[in-house]
Amino acid sequence: MQDKPLALIIDDEADLCRLMQITLNKMGMDTHVAYDVASARAFLADNHYDFCLTDLALPDGSGMEIVELVTKTTTTPVAVITAHGDVNVAIEAMKIGAFDFVNKPLDLPRLRQLAQSALKVNETIIQSTEDDIPQDGSQEKSVSTAIPPNPLTGELVAPTENDTKTDTEHNTETSKDKPQKTGQNSTKKSKSSTPVTVVSDDEIFGGRLIGDSRPMKQLRSTIKKLARSQAPVFLWGGSGTGKEVVSRLIHDLSGRRNGNFVPVNCGAIPSELMESEFFGHKKGSFTGATSDKIGLFQQADGGTLFLDEVADLPLAMQVKLLRAIQEKTVRAIGDTKEVPVDIRIVCATHKDLADLVQKGAFRQDLFYRINVIEVKLPDLNDRRDDIPMLAEHFLNMIAKDWELDNLSLTDDAIDVLTYHNFKGNVRELRNILERAVTMSDSDEIDAHHLMLDDIHDISESDDTPSHVSHDDIITLAPSEPATEAINTTANDIPTPSNIIKVSPYHDQRPTYTANTVIKENKEPKPITPGLNIIASANYGTPLSTPKSQKISPLDSNSASQAFDDLNSSEHENLANGELPSQGLEAYLIDQERQIICNALQQAGGNKTQAAKLLGMTFRSLRYRMKKLDIDDGDDE
Ligand SMILES: Nc1ncnc2c1ncn2[C@@H]1O[C@H](COP(=O)(O)OP(=O)(O)OP(=O)(O)O)[C@@H](O)[C@H]1O
């Protein structure tokens, strides 16, 4: 018969210990109790625990000592008990490796939740690899400053027989009142009783976090450690460095992986809707609230809430967010009850949040609360060794996606990429390659297909490469699809099961990058005689025609159906200086779709001919058709 999970409770209040014991026993756990640091140390020396819970104020020392000891020498998740409201101490404990905390007076449902999370942490043991770089002075400078000292030091190997001894030697003398042990199997505990899945690094990271440079090895090692904690994580790095990728990995590797991962772009939610989006609302609570709505916090209950661009939160919302994070409860607009939520917060920004705190634009208390573990993501320019590997990875992805043969880069192209100044980081690299593939009709991508000379000039003169305004740009090449989070294929994510929930505000902003733009030319650019395209669509925005409605270019009915809203009176209105009712992006997408359908019709469905008419390569046309959901018909 399998052992029950074993917990160690450390607190000098006997009644409280008894209450915790009863609660954990009812959950099917065995328990040991120690009333001081010395007896806890003795228990820890002789047993392997699945969960450890310690008070901070103990008669002969601090619970922090226990946290340090447990995280340095075992894989056991250790939580701390804090006096109510003493969040600062809880944060300090999490910085040195505590996986979570519970307040006094003790809330039993919260204790149960904590214990359950602890057991889940033990379910996946990630095989240690050579990538696991010890966090000592041997790190490169950029990494050691990026990651706070010793955030979580748990070893990531399954416990072995050597990890533990039997406790027969000391089981009577470890506590002033004798340590209390409950349960049948509590005295011989040689290894974790939680069913363990062993996952290799390749299974976890394969294809998702490419890079063999030292900063990337360090990052992978940090992610694995963070996955064993509930501590809030703050990801800081330039646009396109992979903050969302890292956030998803932390979720997928953690005990929360069966809950939802809810990404939300804080900068994309109109401020008047923020409270309702985050916390939900009751029907009738304001004009337009026609039904009850569950907020993002509740959607992420049991999982992870990823607050991207957290620096963009208005101050009023920061106060409400802080309260929800601290209290672990939310109240929907128009509701009278608080609802408990169990979420882990991961935040990200490319802005200097500490600077915003100084300037009064970001609340210090919220900054302190979300910035428990800070991880700085390295710029691509600081890990150039990874560029060939990343390029190969993206070419393989593009080839698979567009059903092309093997694509490759010439040596010259690799050189050009390796020396390019990437202001948009990995996303920019991917966009450059996507464009290069559309520009080349061969499977071999050469330096000139990358078109990096032009880009260099542009990016040099552009301070905000990743968020260029609509007004002065024309997109030349597709930027990253906004629906990536939804469309990610099993192939992209070879992970433990994950349920991805995408909030309506996730990544809706346009994803222009400097490399995909040319400066404005007010005059529409004639591409071929008779065709006047003012700009190509930005593929980073949702299509105005729903995905399910595939357009057949040769079926004039279905094509015209898609453009019903672009009636002639609208064209007249536009000519008179009015703005498109469906918004610029949707308008441009419809325009592009219509023009391509026209060209295909004129060419009798022959894509090669249609591409010529449009002055683009065959491959570029096929790519655009795919993005715009225009029926591909037979391959030529
Ligand atoms: N190390 C990596 N390996 C493979 N793909 C990566 C890596 N880093 C980033 N990417 C890819 O680059 C793109 C941008 O990544 P991501 O969205 O995570 O960046 P970000 O830092 O969150 O960007 P932003 O700040 O603009 O939101 C995605 O397509 C992602 O899959």
Side-chain angles (χ1 to χ4, degrees):
M1 202 177 70
Q2 200 172 41
D3 283 356
K4 290 177 178 177
L6 181 60
L8 176 62
I9 297 167
I10 308 151
D11 199 309
D12 59 343
E13 289 180 55
D15 289 348
L16 193 59
C17 287
R18 187 75 200 121
L19 181 65
M20 290 191 272
Q21 267 190 306
I22 293 169
T23 308
L24 297 185
N25 291 159
K26 277 192 183 156
M27 292 175 70
M29 299 175 82
D30 286 334
T31 47
H32 291 173
V33 172
Y35 298 110
D36 51 32
V37 173
S39 50
R41 283 182 181 279
F43 269 125
L44 285 163
D46 285 357
N47 297 277
H48 173 78
Y49 293 97
D50 299 287
F51 174 41
C52 180
L53 183 61
T54 181
D55 192 11
L56 287 171
L58 295 165
D60 57 344
S62 161
M64 294 286 192
E65 292 172 50
I66 309 280
V67 174
E68 278 196 304
L69 176 69
V70 171
T71 52
K72 273 191 180 141
T73 58
T74 74
T75 60
T76 306
V78 54
V80 294
I81 307 165
T82 51
H84 187 64
D86 206 349
V87 177
N88 292 354
V89 178
I91 289 176
E92 288 315 309
M94 287 197 284
K95 281 187 195 280
I96 63 165
F99 102 106
D100 208 347
F101 67 95
V102 60
N103 285 324
K104 269 183 189 174
L106 210 57
D107 175 40
L108 292 184
R110 168 83 185 120
L111 174 62
R112 281 194 282 270
Q113 188 188 72
L114 194 78
Q116 262 161 9
S117 306
L119 296 186
K120 278 193 201 149
V121 165
N122 293 326
E123 281 169 14
T124 301
I125 300 288
I126 303 152
Q127 270 174 345
S128 185
T129 68
E130 56 188 355
D131 282 5
D132 290 331
I133 300 173
Q135 300 209 342
D136 56 21
S138 63
Q139 293 163 27
E140 280 174 6
K141 189 163 173 265
S142 63
V143 178
S144 55
T145 53
I147 297 175
N150 186 22
L152 292 158
T153 48
E155 282 292 310
L156 293 165
V157 285
T160 65
E161 298 292 326
N162 294 338
D163 288 336
T164 58
K165 303 173 201 163
T166 62
D167 62 353
T168 47
E169 300 136 58
H170 70 92
N171 64 1
T172 53
E173 78 274 28
T174 49
S175 167
K176 62 179 179 190
D177 298 324
K178 286 194 174 178
Q180 298 184 9
K181 300 182 180 190
T182 63
Q184 306 284 312
N185 305 310
S186 59
T187 54
K188 298 241 177 193
K189 183 81 183 174
S190 62
K191 56 183 168 183
S192 171
S193 51
T194 313
V196 165
T197 312
V198 179
V199 188
S200 73
D201 254 22
D202 279 354
E203 280 175 85
I204 300 157
F205 293 108
R208 296 175 74 184
L209 198 67
I210 304 287
D212 247 354
S213 59
R214 195 169 172 83
M216 291 310 281
K217 285 180 176 170
Q218 177 68 63
L219 183 60
R220 274 196 287 271
S221 169
T222 302
I223 290 170
K224 288 188 278 187
K225 288 169 184 167
L226 292 176
R228 294 182 62 79
S229 163
Q230 308 269 31
V233 177
F234 174 62
L235 302 171
W236 186 42
S239 182
T241 46
K243 297 184 290 297
E244 178 158 349
V245 172
V246 169
S247 171
R248 280 178 190 277
L249 280 165
I250 293 171
H251 170 81
D252 290 343
L253 297 180
S254 74
R256 299 182 162 269
R257 63 186 163 279
N258 293 325
N260 290 331
F261 175 84
V262 180
V264 50
N265 181 348
C266 299
I269 310 180
S271 52
E272 66 278 11
L273 292 183
M274 259 191 188
E275 186 172 357
S276 156
E277 286 302 324
F278 276 110
F279 307 127
H281 62 242
K282 300 299 277 183
K283 181 179 174 181
S285 54
F286 55 86
T287 316
T290 50
S291 57
D292 287 359
K293 178 182 166 80
I294 297 275
L296 297 167
F297 268 73
Q298 275 180 279
Q299 286 177 32
D301 194 16
T304 305
L305 183 62
F306 174 51
L307 300 177
D308 199 3
E309 301 306 348
V310 68
D312 293 347
L313 280 173
L315 280 166
M317 194 59 209
Q318 291 175 24
V319 183
K320 291 177 178 151
L321 195 69
L322 177 66
R323 190 176 173 280
I325 294 173
Q326 273 180 190
E327 303 298 321
K328 297 183 193 282
T329 58
V330 290
R331 185 152 54 88
I333 300 175
D335 203 349
T336 48
K337 314 185 289 295
E338 299 268 337
V339 182
V341 281
D342 164 30
I343 56 170
R344 182 178 197 183
I345 300 272
V346 179
C347 294
T349 183
H350 64 280
K351 294 186 181 164
D352 185 343
L353 214 49
D355 186 49
L356 292 179
V357 170
Q358 291 285 316
K359 291 178 176 148
F362 201 86
R363 287 183 67 100
Q364 178 147 28
D365 44 11
L366 180 61
F367 176 60
Y368 185 64
R369 193 68 186 81
I370 59 177
N371 186 18
V372 175
I373 310 281
E374 180 177 313
V375 180
K376 170 89 173 73
L377 272 73
D379 284 344
L380 189 53
N381 290 340
D382 293 337
R383 54 183 189 101
R384 294 188 176 276
D385 288 356
D386 289 336
I387 291 172
M389 191 190 257
L390 276 162
E392 189 187 337
H393 165 75
F394 287 129
L395 281 187
N396 288 340
M397 273 178 66
I398 295 167
K400 193 161 176 234
D401 233 27
W402 303 2
E403 295 159 30
L404 299 171
D405 292 334
N406 286 342
L407 297 169
S408 61
L409 288 164
T410 62
D411 289 348
D412 280 355
I414 293 175
D415 277 355
V416 168
L417 283 176
T418 308
Y419 291 104
H420 177 62
N421 177 18
F422 286 96
K423 292 194 172 180
N425 294 294
V426 182
R427 179 183 288 116
E428 183 183 343
L429 172 62
R430 179 176 167 164
N431 288 342
I432 288 171
L433 291 170
E434 284 199 357
R435 185 184 50 194
V437 175
T438 66
M439 291 298 162
S440 152
D441 263 337
S442 137
D443 290 336
E444 194 175 60
I445 312 298
D446 203 354
H448 68 275
H449 294 127
L450 302 171
M451 296 173 66
L452 288 181
D453 288 347
D454 303 344
I455 290 160
H456 187 70
D457 292 345
I458 292 162
S459 51
E460 286 300 301
S461 62
D462 194 339
D463 286 333
T464 52
S466 59
H467 299 100
V468 184
S469 105
H470 283 198
D471 299 332
D472 59 0
I473 59 164
I474 298 171
T475 58
L476 260 189
S479 55
E480 189 169 323
T483 46
E484 180 186 69
I486 308 168
N487 294 337
T488 329
T489 62
N491 197 47
D492 290 322
I493 304 186
T495 62
S497 71
N498 61 350
I499 303 163
I500 295 172
K501 191 109 182 173
V502 179
S503 79
Y505 295 103
H506 174 243
D507 235 0
Q508 281 192 357
R509 77 208 142 151
T511 50
Y512 297 111
T513 56
N515 59 307
T516 62
V517 304
I518 58 169
K519 286 290 175 193
E520 169 191 49
N521 175 359
K522 289 275 185 206
E523 289 303 311
K525 277 190 144 192
I527 291 190
T528 57
L531 284 172
N532 223 11
I533 299 181
I534 50 173
S536 65
N538 167 26
Y539 298 98
T541 54
L543 300 179
S544 64
T545 303
K547 276 269 176 199
S548 52
Q549 281 177 249
K550 260 209 175 241
I551 306 298
S552 168
L554 300 181
D555 172 356
S556 54
N557 285 337
S558 86
S560 62
Q561 181 81 25
F563 310 120
D564 272 353
D565 51 348
L566 271 177
N567 54 39
S568 54
S569 70
E570 175 137 26
H571 284 299
E572 268 172 37
N573 293 343
L574 291 171
N576 291 333
E578 289 185 21
L579 301 176
S581 57
Q582 71 274 53
L584 177 63
E585 298 301 341
Y587 173 79
L588 293 177
I589 287 166
D590 284 341
Q591 287 281 298
E592 181 171 11
R593 187 185 287 117
Q594 187 166 23
I595 288 164
I596 289 176
C597 286
N598 289 347
L600 285 161
Q601 274 174 1
Q602 284 177 28
N606 183 313
K607 289 199 282 288
T608 309
Q609 190 62 29
K612 273 199 189 121
L613 285 174
L614 291 168
M616 58 171 59
T617 63
F618 170 77
R619 190 177 279 170
S620 179
L621 175 64
R622 218 170 73 147
Y623 171 72
R624 282 158 195 255
M625 287 173 68
K626 196 168 167 149
K627 290 286 178 193
L628 294 167
D629 265 342
I630 299 172
D631 201 357
D632 203 9
D634 291 330
D635 269 334
E636 289 172 43

